[in-house]
Amino acid sequence: PIRVAILISGRGSNMQALAEAVASEDLPVDICTVLSNRADAAGLDWARARGLPADVLAHRDFASRAAFDAALRARLDALAPDYILLAGFMRVLGADFVRHFEGRIINIHPSLLPAFPGLHTHEQALAQGVQWHGCSVHFVTAVLDHGPIIAQGAIPVLAGDTPDSLAARLLPVEHRIYVQTLRWLAQGRVRLLGDGRVAVADAPHRAWAG
Ligand code: GAR
């Protein structure tokens, strides 16, 4: 099995979808930690109740971003994960950290990248007047929300949509494409091409929302 570390900061619904898929589909995946940078993350309780190894590394306990990154790196190195899955992990990871785990850190972002990196993606989509919104699973690089894209899912923007309604309609699509990505990783089908793109062997290029 592949070893994955799942990093969260809050609710952890993507982490739950991943963990439930591992259990219900018997995926060859060992979740070696569910790690939060906040002790109050609701996802931690869910993970503990499921018997998953859940732990806290509080960024507030560190004087600098670099010190937190170094502690996180040491914690993860000790667990030797094949992949580090960011699932609503709301800390930016520094270039040194990203380089150390190059090609092994994956994030889910609530927009159709490269549109709308950063925060408040649903607000950004509505302000821009796009007719399609979505989510992206991508490899993490030193440039925030800009790494090679593994999977995307799309939803139409409807009349009357608000940031909350978009977020709510998008969330199950996020879960679907992150679980699909984990299946592909477990099957060893995801390859990072040298040109900054991703190839998934014997899989459709896109993961549609429908
Ligand atoms: C998700 O919508 C995820 O895409 C987003 O935070 C939410 C976490 O929900 N991530 C980011 O905005 C990353 N910058 P969850 O804790 O229920 O998975």
Side-chain angles (χ1 to χ4, degrees):
I2 59 166
R3 289 171 66 77
V4 302
I6 305 179
L7 271 52
I8 66 171
S9 296
R11 178 179 55 184
S13 73
N14 277 287
M15 174 273 296
Q16 294 178 28
L18 294 169
E20 276 174 346
V22 169
S24 70
E25 300 177 25
D26 202 19
L27 296 179
V29 173
D30 276 344
I31 298 174
C32 56
T33 186
V34 172
L35 189 57
S36 173
N37 65 307
R38 301 176 54 109
D40 62 357
L44 285 172
D45 297 329
W46 187 92
R48 290 191 185 109
R50 281 302 197 89
L52 292 170
D55 221 337
V56 177
L57 188 69
H59 64 274
R60 294 229 168 95
D61 292 347
F62 296 88
S64 67
R65 189 178 291 280
F68 172 71
D69 279 7
L72 183 60
R73 167 177 162 172
R75 184 77 72 93
L76 291 169
D77 274 340
L79 295 167
D82 295 296
Y83 293 102
I84 299 163
L85 305 183
L86 310 183
F89 184 70
M90 302 307 277
R91 299 296 295 175
V92 174
L93 297 166
D96 287 344
F97 183 97
V98 171
R99 198 173 308 119
H100 179 71
F101 293 108
E102 192 177 1
R104 295 158 59 195
I105 313 172
I106 291 171
N107 182 46
I108 185 153
H109 181 78
S111 80
L112 287 172
L113 292 174
F116 315 139
L119 296 175
H120 310 298
T121 56
H122 314 303
E123 284 89 340
Q124 292 190 60
L126 289 171
Q128 194 64 43
V130 295
Q131 298 185 354
W132 291 87
H133 186 42
C135 47
S136 307
V137 174
H138 66 98
F139 281 104
V140 171
T141 64
V143 183
L144 183 68
D145 298 331
H146 270 279
I149 292 168
I150 304 169
Q152 291 186 309
I155 59 170
V157 178
L158 306 176
D161 258 329
T162 63
D164 284 351
S165 69
L166 277 181
R169 237 175 32 257
L170 191 57
L171 196 61
V173 184
E174 294 191 32
H175 299 165
R176 200 175 313 148
I177 68 169
Y178 221 171
V179 166
Q180 182 60 265
T181 297
L182 184 58
R183 287 190 199 108
W184 288 338
L185 292 171
Q187 294 160 355
R189 288 159 68 179
V190 180
R191 270 187 312 120
L192 198 44
L193 303 178
D195 62 0
R197 290 181 306 152
V198 169
V200 180
D202 301 322
H205 182 59
R206 287 178 291 266
W208 290 100

